[in-house]
Amino acid sequence: MAFSKKEVFSKEKYSIQKSNNMKQSGLFWIQLLAGIILLFLIFHVLILTQVISYEITWGGRLKSVQEMWVFESISIIMNGLLLFLLSQKSGLFQSILSEKIVHFGLWIYVGIFILNTVGNLAAATLLEKGFSLVTFFMAWILLKIIRMTPQQYL
C-alpha cells in the first residue's frame, strides 16, 4: 500500500506527537508521586519539630518523644529512598542501580503502601484513616510507573 508524501508526513508527525505525549504522561506520574512524597517529608519534619503533635500519627500509638523520633526518622529515610528509586527510574540522574533492582525496590514499596493503607484504615485517628486513600492512590501510581517502559518517560 503506497502513501502520498502528505500522508507519510502526517503519520510521522502523529507518531512523534504520540511518543512525546507518552513521555509527558510517564514523567507526569513520576513527578506527581515525587510531589506527594515531598509533601509527606514536610509533614514528617513538622512532626519531628513538634509543630504537629506526634499523638495524631502512627495510629495514635506512640507513647513518647523518643518513639516518635525513631518512627519519624525511619519514615523520612523510607520516603527519601523512594524518591531516590523514582529518580533512578525517571533517568533524571545518572543511574547507579540496575533496572531490575529499581523495579524490585518499587515493588517493595507497592507492598508497603498496600499494608499502610490497611493500617491507616485501622488507625485510631481520623487523619490517618483519611491517609488510607492517599496511600492507596500512591500504590496505584507506583504500579503505573513500574509498568512503564523507558520510552514512556525518557
Side-chain angles (χ1 to χ4, degrees):
M1 175 179 228
F3 294 104
S4 71
K5 208 174 200 181
K6 185 176 181 181
E7 289 175 318
V8 170
F9 177 73
S10 174
K11 287 185 183 280
E12 284 178 14
K13 184 178 177 184
Y14 173 75
S15 176
I16 291 168
Q17 197 172 30
K18 183 177 176 187
S19 174
N20 288 338
N21 288 342
M22 285 172 46
K23 287 178 187 177
Q24 289 173 350
S25 173
L27 271 180
F28 167 78
W29 292 112
I30 293 171
Q31 290 170 341
L32 177 63
L33 187 56
I36 293 169
I37 293 164
L38 286 172
L39 289 174
F40 272 113
L41 282 170
I42 292 168
F43 177 72
H44 289 295
V45 168
L46 291 173
I47 293 167
L48 273 178
T49 57
Q50 297 185 1
V51 172
I52 296 175
S53 175
Y54 69 84
E55 285 108 6
I56 66 167
T57 61
W58 295 100
R61 294 177 181 89
L62 296 181
K63 304 294 182 222
S64 68
V65 173
Q66 291 79 13
E67 282 184 357
M68 178 267 298
W69 272 94
V70 171
F71 279 77
E72 290 303 317
S73 297
I74 290 169
S75 182
I76 288 171
I77 291 167
M78 295 293 291
N79 280 292
L81 180 59
L82 180 54
L83 276 177
F84 172 73
L85 289 171
L86 288 174
S87 74
Q88 293 291 287
K89 176 76 174 172
S90 71
L92 291 175
F93 302 102
Q94 183 179 3
S95 292
I96 59 174
L97 299 176
S98 73
E99 190 175 338
K100 286 182 180 185
I101 291 173
V102 171
H103 275 233
F104 180 74
L106 293 175
W107 273 110
I108 288 173
Y109 275 93
V110 169
I112 289 170
F113 285 139
I114 290 170
L115 290 173
N116 199 329
T117 300
V118 173
N120 284 342
L121 287 171
T125 64
L126 188 58
L127 176 69
E128 284 204 290
K129 287 181 189 279
F131 276 140
S132 62
L133 292 173
V134 177
T135 54
F136 178 78
F137 184 61
M138 291 171 76
W140 179 76
I141 293 172
L142 258 180
L143 287 172
K144 288 182 73 68
I145 291 169
I146 289 169
R147 291 186 8 228
M148 286 190 290
T149 62
Q151 294 78 19
Q152 293 174 301
Y153 54 85
L154 292 178

